Amino acid sequence: MSSLDELLNLSLEDKPEIIAEYIWIGGSGTDLRSKARTLPGPVTDPLELPKWNYDGSSTGQAPGEDSEVILYPQAIFKDPFRRGNNILVICDAYTPQGDAIPTNKRAAAAEIFSKKEVAEEETWFGLEQEYTLLQKDVKWPLGWPLGGYPGPQGPYYCGTGAEKAWGRDIVNAHYKACLYAGIQISGINGEVMPGQWEFQVGPALGISAADQLWAARYILERITEIAGVVLSLDPKPIEGDWNGAGCHTNYSTKSMREEGGYAIIKEAINKLGLRHKEHIASYGEGNERRLTGRHETADMNSFSWGVANRGASIRVGRDTEKEGKGYFEDRRPASNMDPYVVTSMIANTTILWKPEGSELILF
């Protein structure tokens, strides 16, 4: 009699078929759903994949009397769980008539990134995803005493040791799985609050940065499922004198990376300041609990920028100032933000949007 582990590790390399795990965003806008199907052979281009459907009434995305939602494959990654030629497929969702459903934010983002002015600027994004690992049954941070608190913040950021770093095996498993999948994961680190970690995706071009972040989130949720730990993207999982969780978004355009780019960067920051309220409204749920002006954040009700200032809305690096070109970091997005919304909104505001009349100049 075979054991479960033996069956899970059963090799299918002598079979021509592959398994494709179709992944989409559920009705909350942050939950990930997936289901698998067998395909006759290896696939490397999402255009070669068949569309599929699911019951939208069970995900809060369609009424019961007209529940069919259609999945359009958009990006392919190697499957680190099944391995071989098996794949993960990032999809977005449409009505049978071909209209993007309300929770499909990718469709609108794709329109922005496909515009000539945006495509020519070769937008690069680096996304810093912070997250918290919670004990499964009590929803309390991993490593924290039940009903109690660890020592104050200070030793945990990039810390080492059994009393400072909790969940490292999960983090390292995720790091390797993302590299295997083909995600441009550029690093990991322990965060300021114990039980909280960060991984970075990018720099990646345009909408692919958002596709990769969603794929990385899916892989992380699968790994925490295996480990019996809960993944939280809440921007302020623990109230009080503890850091929240964000998804700082680093951004540059071709013009910003060339000589004279610093002036383009300042012009872009000026535009972001003029549309601060619109961006804040689209940067994640519960962000008001995080953006208080404390714990390395700017107050959400005001806009600021500065060189090497982690308490500002926008941070410009010392190297960028020194070299007169480079990138900047938008520190406002929450950990649960939709990367399709945030990346396309930044591109839209800084490249496509033209302020009308005489607007406030910040510089």
Side-chain angles (χ1 to χ4, degrees):
M1 186 70 175
S2 296
S3 70
L4 183 60
D5 282 343
E6 286 176 322
L7 290 171
L8 285 170
N9 294 316
L10 192 65
S11 174
L12 299 177
E13 290 182 358
D14 60 336
K15 299 290 184 181
E17 296 89 355
I18 69 157
I19 301 171
E21 190 79 25
Y22 280 47
I23 302 162
W24 71 96
I25 300 161
S28 71
T30 56
D31 62 307
L32 284 162
R33 309 289 181 124
S34 75
K35 60 177 184 172
R37 68 182 297 167
T38 305
L39 298 175
V43 179
T44 57
D45 186 339
L47 295 177
E48 298 174 359
L49 289 167
K51 294 174 184 176
W52 206 6
N53 65 76
Y54 67 92
D55 172 17
S57 68
S58 296
T59 63
Q61 294 172 295
E65 65 273 13
D66 187 15
S67 65
E68 191 168 283
V69 180
I70 312 302
L71 292 171
Y72 286 34
Q74 299 291 358
I76 291 175
F77 299 92
K78 293 176 64 179
D79 186 339
F81 304 102
R82 296 187 177 104
R83 305 186 189 180
N85 290 319
N86 303 303
I87 54 175
L88 305 177
V89 185
I90 297 294
C91 305
D92 57 357
Y94 297 80
T95 67
Q97 293 73 37
D99 299 317
I101 66 171
T103 51
N104 177 1
K105 307 303 182 183
R106 191 187 191 281
E111 285 188 23
I112 290 172
F113 283 113
S114 66
K115 289 187 179 295
K116 183 174 181 289
E117 305 96 311
V118 177
E120 288 178 347
E121 280 290 354
E122 298 175 8
T123 54
W124 289 1
F125 294 93
L127 305 174
E128 303 176 23
Q129 177 69 71
E130 296 176 343
Y131 60 94
T132 308
L133 299 174
L134 303 178
Q135 300 171 57
K136 182 181 176 182
D137 296 325
V138 294
K139 303 295 176 64
W140 198 237
L142 196 66
W144 289 34
L146 293 181
Y149 297 87
Q153 294 183 155
Y156 309 109
Y157 173 69
C158 297
T160 304
E163 77 283 17
K164 295 186 284 291
W166 301 313
R168 192 185 296 277
D169 285 351
I170 292 170
V171 174
N172 281 332
H174 177 249
Y175 197 174
K176 285 190 172 183
C178 284
L179 286 172
Y180 177 91
I183 293 169
Q184 291 172 273
I185 186 168
S186 49
I188 58 169
N189 61 267
E191 266 304 328
V192 177
M193 190 184 87
Q196 196 173 85
W197 295 81
E198 176 186 298
F199 66 88
Q200 303 93 33
V201 168
L205 179 65
I207 202 168
S208 69
D211 287 335
Q212 291 183 57
L213 187 67
W214 276 116
R217 285 175 172 179
Y218 174 81
I219 291 170
L220 181 56
E221 190 132 33
R222 285 284 304 277
I223 290 172
T224 54
E225 174 190 322
I226 294 167
V229 171
V230 174
L231 169 65
S232 172
L233 296 184
D234 190 296
K236 187 70 173 180
I238 303 295
E239 296 299 323
D241 197 20
W242 304 97
N243 273 34
C247 193
H248 302 152
T249 301
N250 299 275
Y251 172 68
S252 77
T253 65
K254 184 179 180 182
S255 298
M256 294 176 191
R257 297 188 291 270
E258 294 175 343
E259 293 303 319
Y262 198 45
I264 307 298
I265 288 172
K266 291 197 289 184
E267 180 183 338
I269 294 173
N270 181 50
K271 286 184 172 183
L272 290 170
L274 294 172
R275 300 193 73 200
H276 175 64
K277 289 183 179 179
E278 292 90 335
H279 280 255
I280 285 292
S282 301
Y283 273 17
E285 296 295 324
N287 213 9
E288 71 281 353
R289 294 183 282 116
R290 167 180 163 262
L291 295 181
T292 61
R294 301 182 62 213
H295 305 109
E296 298 184 278
T297 71
D299 188 297
M300 71 180 297
N301 297 307
S302 61
F303 181 83
S304 60
W305 79 281
V307 176
N309 184 357
R310 283 180 163 76
S313 308
I314 304 290
R315 182 186 68 86
V316 175
R318 291 281 183 203
D319 287 345
T320 295
E321 180 190 43
K322 181 180 178 181
E323 295 176 12
K325 59 183 178 180
Y327 72 98
F328 63 84
E329 175 191 42
D330 191 338
R331 297 180 59 80
R332 297 171 295 173
S335 49
N336 60 10
M337 65 83 151
D338 187 328
Y340 293 129
V341 173
V342 170
T343 58
S344 62
M345 197 171 192
I346 291 173
N348 184 38
T349 294
T350 60
I351 299 172
L352 299 176
W353 183 62
K354 309 297 181 188
E356 294 181 3
S358 140
E359 298 282 6
L360 174 67
I361 301 300
L362 302 180
F363 314 105

